Amino acid sequence: MDAAIQIIITGLTLGAMYALASVGLALTYGTMGMFNMAHGMFMTIGAYASYSLSSAFGAPLPLALVAGICAGAISGSLLHLLIVRFMLHTEDFQTTIMVATAGVAIALQDLILKRYGAYPFKQPAQIEGSFRLAGTAISYQSIVIVAMAALLIGALAWLLTYTKFGLAIRATAMNQDAAKLMGVRTERTYLQVIVIAGVLASAAGILISSLAGLSPAMGTDPLIRAFIICVVAGLGSVTGAGLAAIMMGLFEAAISYYIGARFGLPVMLGLVVLILIFRPAGLFGRMEVVRS
Amino acid sequence: MDTLLSVQGLSSGYRHLKVLHSVSLEITRGSVTAIIGPNGHGKSTLLKAIAGLLPTWTGVVMLDGTALPAAASERARAGLTLVPQGDQLFMNMTVEENLLMGAYVRTDAAAVKRTLDDVFTLFPRLHERRGQRANSLSGGERRMVGIGRGMMAAGKLVMIDEPSLGLAPLIIEQIYGALNLLANEGQSILVVEENPSRVAGVASAFHLMDGGSFAWSGSAAALARSSDVLKTYLGG
Amino acid sequence: MSQLSEIQRHLVAAVLFIAAMATLPYFVSERYLLGQIIVFMLWASVATQWNVLTGHAGVFSLGQMLFFSVGSYTVGMAGTYLGTSPWISMPVGAVLSAVAALLIGIACLRLASAYVALLTFAIVFMVQALIVTDPNCFTNNGGVCLPLFGGGNGFSGFADFGFRKLLKGDWIVGNYFVILASLTLSLFASIIVIHGRLGLAFRALNDSQLYAASRGLNRTRFRVTVFVITAFFTGLSGSVYAAHFRFAGPSLFEMPTLVLILAMVIVGGLRSTWGPILGAAAMMVLVEIAKGMGDVRNTAVGVVLVLFVLLFPKGIAGAAGRTLRMFRAQRSAERPEIAERRFDATKTEIAR
């Protein structure tokens, strides 16, 4: 019983972070066919921005959080305005954009390494302490993580379903030319989508760093997990990515508990490959996949 | 004559392949114009180029006396509506969401609601299916959504690409009945069809497209007199 | 020259290139420079294989460094645990890489291209994480714990080619020729694959998957075949690398290494036969310059990669080819007419 509660709490915390990390990735792929290798850098940048504000200027927690998220939004818009915009209609966009964003990722990682050093340190922007529920210790931070993920993803879901803005994003994802014919300025939609991805990823980065600490390469591990989640959900499926993230979080918590933390990723990956052998379009691929 | 759309010397194509050779076209406000001719000679290309989905290589497209910007989204905002071939619906949206996408650039919610009611009056079937996803509709219903979505923009000119394509004769009649109603209300329409007999009763001006330019142009009466011209191009 | 077929022309060029490379040690005596040329040849071989796989077979794999590492680790582990000479373990390493590729290929290559990239990337990362986080000691050499796969430090100091005894101070020249030999194998293999029957199959598959399938070409089987072939030569380069540096460790898996070699392929020119070799040379020079500017190596690689994707997506080879074609086009006057006639013939098919 204790083990079950432990696993569910750890799993939900992990799942919430994974969902934040992967939903933006799925949205960018679904809308514009772009797999962003620099998505992990949004996480790193968000975490470091919060850290800097919180440690250097002693900013209170909410302000540090907002600053980190703003940093993610700004990085997203810069990525679009400086690079993606010029590549959108070129040949082999799907491949070349991965190459270009991989270049961006290692350059940014190098710059952060030069500025902050290689050694990991603690994220000050977080809540300390814990309480007990049915004999299991639950940290306030994991409540913050789940609440923040639920808030941001809920806001995204509302935006996509009920607003004109969201209607335009979905229309662009389903049929770019038809969206243009309706008067949707698709180039602007792309910018908005990357900014949303930046916001979600930087929030994920701040939350992840509150558990795992900050280091220049901190974005790589969640990026890989987000990749796996998007692949198993079916590329471009946003709802699927959210659901798959929670499943993966619970699953990984169980594996860590029974076998050991280092086998979490390998077992997940093995499972994903197995799933793909039977469902090559991913678990939710048929439901709302936008591009194959 | 009150000219709504004026196309002068328009050339366009795909990548390195020129398809349209300096096409010129004038459309009178409140009229129905038809472009006819065999498949593969640039009729759809012309509509796409006018709508801005294909780049203009040479020439000008003017709506209401002002030259249109290049981007398709801006042309749509200026009042140019294209109902594309094969409907191009938003497959995972409901019928109603598809129709509302048509009114994407309109801000007057009450007016949008009135147009939506008009669409539902014209196509009662869509009212029944308004909560259904577009990918669950039949071909005829999809065409209705496509045309209804075009109406929702309340644009100055609606361009419709092959409204009869792939439909059963009964449904084609229904669709053309709807187009007739629209035309009678004063909507300016540019319609593309392979077969002139379908549009003969609706349109007042005809252009025959062959090899990327107009081989023949004339009124409904002139069309009736030149059946031999048509035979040459359409094989009777 | 005009009687030679395309493949023969490339093979002749390859022979000339290898011959030129073989004379270099007679002119270059500085050991550091020779060492850098060795690194160039190693990366050029990996980049060449990657280009065959991605540029021609259309498999966007991000797992090439895994195959390289399988080769390296084979030599490293055989040398450390069994004292095996690299001359024996190198071919074994290449074969093991090919086996790894076969397994991964069967599991992944059926999937859409983006899935392949993401899964191969994830597999590499997973293997690295498993190696680095291994807490169990396999041997305890003088109080130093060594996990089975070397843990975070990897293997070092094992037996090399053995030229130190044979050639004394000139041992590096011996290494040079071994590595040149592995580049030669890799280069010839790439030319044969690109311009031979396999390459033809890929062009057919790229032109029309449906048609190729109707002629009995199985896309996945061809993709797996090339995946395995390129992994073999990538693994061979990895095992030669390990024997030369007497090192095999998890740093080989790191993202910057992957991006550096990706940059070589892109900067040189994806799909061009000689592009990766040009690109490898260009990136080596760039890295040298960046090192001199206070180790901004990764930043420089990243920035150059982005600039090339944006400005010269076909790389150095593509830009050079375009300039050449423009020059030729200016000299021939009849071309526009021919183009016009061809247009008339094809427009009907394409205009919709």
Side-chain angles (χ1 to χ4, degrees):
Chain A
M1 190 59 208
D2 276 4
I5 295 178
Q6 187 83 52
I7 288 170
I8 288 173
I9 287 166
T10 319
L12 283 181
T13 315
L14 285 176
M17 292 189 296
Y18 295 166
L20 272 182
S22 42
V23 162
L25 198 66
L27 187 67
T28 24
Y29 186 81
T31 316
M32 49 208 287
M34 161 176 168
F35 247 109
N36 184 4
M37 301 288 283
H39 192 76
M41 287 317 293
F42 290 162
M43 302 187 215
T44 316
I45 287 171
Y48 274 89
S50 281
Y51 161 82
S52 297
L53 214 69
S54 170
S55 68
F57 305 104
L61 175 66
L63 191 65
L65 276 179
V66 171
I69 290 175
C70 286
I74 293 169
S75 327
S77 50
L78 286 179
L79 182 68
H80 180 83
L81 295 173
L82 297 177
I83 296 170
V84 181
R85 187 158 66 102
F86 301 104
M87 298 177 59
L88 272 171
H89 305 293
T90 53
E91 244 181 289
D92 291 333
F93 173 74
Q94 280 206 16
T95 314
T96 52
I97 194 67
M98 282 177 90
V99 174
T101 48
V104 171
I106 69 153
L108 283 178
Q109 189 172 328
D110 201 33
L111 291 175
I112 288 178
L113 178 76
K114 295 285 182 309
R115 170 75 182 74
Y116 292 94
Y119 291 98
F121 32 78
K122 195 170 179 292
Q123 172 66 273
Q126 61 174 298
I127 301 176
E128 308 281 347
S130 64
F131 63 98
R132 298 191 78 79
L133 180 82
T136 312
I138 301 170
S139 69
Y140 290 119
Q141 185 60 22
S142 51
I143 301 293
V144 170
I145 289 171
V146 174
M148 193 150 155
L151 183 77
L152 285 172
I153 292 174
L156 177 70
W158 175 80
L159 206 71
L160 287 179
T161 320
Y162 297 109
T163 66
K164 207 168 167 177
F165 172 75
L167 205 60
I169 292 178
R170 281 160 59 211
T172 310
M174 288 175 209
N175 192 328
Q176 186 192 313
D177 275 354
K180 281 184 193 160
L181 291 176
M182 304 299 119
V184 177
R185 292 171 170 139
T186 49
E187 310 272 311
R188 201 174 295 178
T189 305
Y190 294 144
L191 170 64
Q192 289 159 346
V193 163
I194 297 186
V195 169
I196 291 174
V199 165
L200 296 177
S202 54
I206 300 167
L207 298 178
I208 289 168
S209 69
S210 74
L211 297 184
L214 293 124
S215 66
M218 62 166 279
T220 315
D221 183 85
L223 178 68
I224 303 270
R225 279 161 213 267
F227 278 170
I228 298 175
I229 287 164
C230 287
V231 166
V232 75
L235 291 180
S237 165
V238 175
T239 326
L243 292 174
I246 306 284
M247 276 158 47
M248 285 292 177
L250 288 169
F251 191 68
E252 193 179 340
I255 295 170
S256 305
Y257 189 89
Y258 291 110
I259 314 179
R262 59 187 290 259
F263 293 105
L265 185 66
V267 175
M268 261 166 69
L269 194 57
L271 195 75
V272 165
V273 171
L274 211 65
I275 290 174
L276 288 173
I277 288 173
F278 296 104
R279 287 191 64 104
L283 282 181
F284 306 94
R286 272 293 145 87
M287 271 161 64
E288 56 171 308
V289 76
V290 183
R291 287 175 197 171
S292 64
Chain B
M1 290 286 251
D2 182 6
T3 302
L4 176 63
L5 180 83
S6 163
V7 176
Q8 283 147 25
L10 180 64
S11 303
S12 183
Y14 302 87
R15 291 197 181 199
H16 306 291
L17 190 80
K18 196 170 172 182
V19 175
L20 296 178
H21 298 261
S22 191
V23 175
S24 295
L25 171 72
E26 301 248 312
I27 290 177
T28 309
R29 192 185 309 279
S31 73
V32 177
T33 306
I35 297 173
I36 53 177
N39 275 330
H41 282 254
K43 300 192 302 293
S44 294
T45 309
L46 176 61
L47 291 199
K48 280 191 201 165
I50 295 176
L53 284 182
L54 288 176
T56 299
W57 292 7
T58 64
V60 213
V61 180
M62 302 215 296
L63 190 70
D64 255 348
T66 39
L68 287 170
S73 56
E74 301 313 307
R75 291 190 176 186
R77 282 161 188 259
L80 201 57
T81 308
L82 173 65
V83 177
Q85 197 177 86
D87 306 314
Q88 308 282 327
L89 302 183
F90 303 111
M91 283 302 182
N92 286 320
M93 287 190 186
T94 63
V95 168
E96 190 160 353
E97 281 176 324
N98 265 285
L99 294 175
L100 289 176
M101 269 315 293
Y104 179 74
V105 296
R106 294 170 67 187
T107 46
D108 182 351
V112 170
K113 180 77 185 54
R114 278 199 299 278
T115 321
L116 187 63
D117 288 338
D118 288 347
V119 172
F120 284 148
T121 318
L122 193 64
F123 301 116
R125 186 91 64 93
L126 296 188
H127 188 255
E128 289 163 31
R129 310 258 149 133
R130 65 185 183 280
Q132 228 168 291
R133 283 194 185 202
N135 55 14
S136 67
L137 300 178
S138 72
E141 289 163 345
R142 288 183 190 189
R143 191 66 38 85
M144 292 174 196
V145 176
I147 292 171
R149 193 178 63 177
M151 288 169 62
M152 289 298 291
K156 293 173 181 165
L157 175 68
V158 181
M159 304 187 284
I160 308 177
D161 198 348
E162 299 236 27
S164 67
L165 187 77
L167 297 185
L170 215 67
I171 319 260
I172 295 178
E173 247 169 63
Q174 239 176 317
I175 298 284
Y176 267 96
L179 290 188
N180 253 323
L181 279 174
L182 277 182
N184 291 339
E185 282 165 22
Q187 173 71 57
S188 314
I189 297 175
L190 172 60
V191 60
V192 156
E193 273 292 359
E194 185 186 2
N195 186 342
S197 66
R198 298 219 175 89
V199 279
V202 193
S204 54
F206 293 84
H207 301 275
L208 180 97
M209 188 149 225
D210 181 67
S213 58
F214 290 146
W216 181 92
S217 297
S219 65
L223 180 75
R225 273 182 268 120
S226 354
S227 54
D228 50 331
V229 177
L230 296 177
K231 238 177 229 160
T232 318
Y233 288 101
L234 298 168
Chain C
M1 287 293 273
S2 60
Q3 273 107 8
L4 294 178
S5 71
E6 199 181 0
I7 185 167
Q8 286 167 326
R9 264 186 287 137
H10 280 293
L11 287 174
V12 169
V15 169
L16 293 177
F17 170 71
I18 298 297
M21 289 303 290
T23 59
L24 271 185
Y26 301 99
F27 302 113
V28 179
S29 54
E30 201 188 331
R31 187 171 290 184
Y32 175 75
L33 188 54
L34 217 49
Q36 289 309 99
I37 298 173
I38 285 177
V39 176
F40 154 73
M41 293 192 294
L42 285 164
W43 290 154
S45 167
V46 177
T48 300
Q49 295 302 321
W50 201 343
N51 180 46
V52 171
L53 187 61
T54 301
H56 295 273
V59 178
F60 188 40
S61 156
L62 293 174
Q64 293 312 96
M65 289 317 286
L66 178 69
F67 304 129
F68 187 86
S69 303
V70 170
S72 301
Y73 269 83
T74 307
V75 169
M77 289 171 73
T80 306
Y81 294 133
L82 310 169
T84 315
S85 152
W87 292 107
I88 295 164
S89 54
M90 283 190 314
V92 177
V95 169
L96 286 180
S97 301
V99 171
L102 183 66
L103 295 177
I104 296 175
I106 289 173
C108 298
L109 289 186
R110 225 159 42 90
L111 303 167
S113 143
Y115 287 77
V116 175
L118 299 184
L119 281 179
T120 48
F121 190 59
I123 291 170
V124 176
F125 184 79
M126 176 199 78
V127 172
Q128 187 202 18
L130 276 179
I131 289 177
V132 172
T133 59
D134 190 355
N136 304 314
C137 304
F138 183 69
T139 57
N140 237 322
N141 229 335
V144 182
C145 167
L146 186 66
L148 177 57
F149 290 99
N153 295 324
F155 302 95
S156 51
F158 44 82
D160 65 1
F161 299 116
F163 288 121
R164 272 167 226 267
K165 245 187 234 159
L166 211 66
L167 302 171
K168 303 286 182 314
D170 278 338
W171 61 271
I172 197 165
V173 177
N175 286 13
Y176 183 98
F177 280 100
V178 176
I179 290 154
L180 179 61
S182 89
L183 173 64
T184 309
L185 288 176
S186 166
L187 187 60
F188 277 87
S190 81
I191 291 173
I192 290 167
V193 169
I194 296 173
H195 299 282
R197 282 170 51 88
L198 265 175
L200 195 66
F202 284 119
R203 280 193 290 281
L205 283 166
N206 286 342
D207 284 349
S208 167
Q209 266 189 47
L210 207 68
Y211 177 72
S214 72
R215 296 298 307 253
L217 289 178
N218 181 337
R219 178 160 168 269
T220 305
R221 190 183 299 162
F222 273 101
R223 282 156 62 106
V224 173
T225 309
V226 173
F227 201 54
V228 170
I229 293 175
T230 54
F232 178 86
F233 290 102
T234 308
L236 183 65
S237 305
S239 55
V240 177
Y241 172 99
H244 170 66
F245 285 106
R246 305 168 81 194
F247 170 76
S251 58
L252 296 176
F253 293 103
E254 276 169 6
M255 177 108 167
T257 321
L258 178 89
V259 179
L260 173 67
I261 297 168
L262 185 58
M264 290 172 175
V265 180
I266 300 290
V267 166
L270 192 66
R271 291 203 182 95
S272 143
T273 311
W274 291 88
I277 300 212
L278 279 175
M283 290 311 287
M284 288 297 293
V285 172
L286 178 82
V287 165
E288 275 311 294
I289 295 171
K291 265 191 205 159
M293 287 164 53
D295 201 22
V296 286
R297 186 191 132 119
N298 288 341
T299 311
V301 171
V303 169
V304 166
L305 181 56
V306 172
L307 287 179
F308 263 85
V309 171
L310 280 177
L311 305 175
F312 311 102
K314 301 216 160 125
I316 301 173
R322 199 172 52 198
T323 319
L324 203 71
R325 269 196 304 281
M326 268 165 61
F327 178 68
R328 278 188 194 152
Q330 274 178 354
R331 296 189 352 173
S332 71
E334 300 100 310
R335 280 184 70 91
E337 274 177 36
I338 297 166
E340 193 73 27
R341 231 177 291 143
R342 274 187 51 196
F343 149 69
D344 279 332
T346 46
K347 69 185 168 185
T348 332
E349 292 162 32
I350 297 179
R352 260 166 282 151

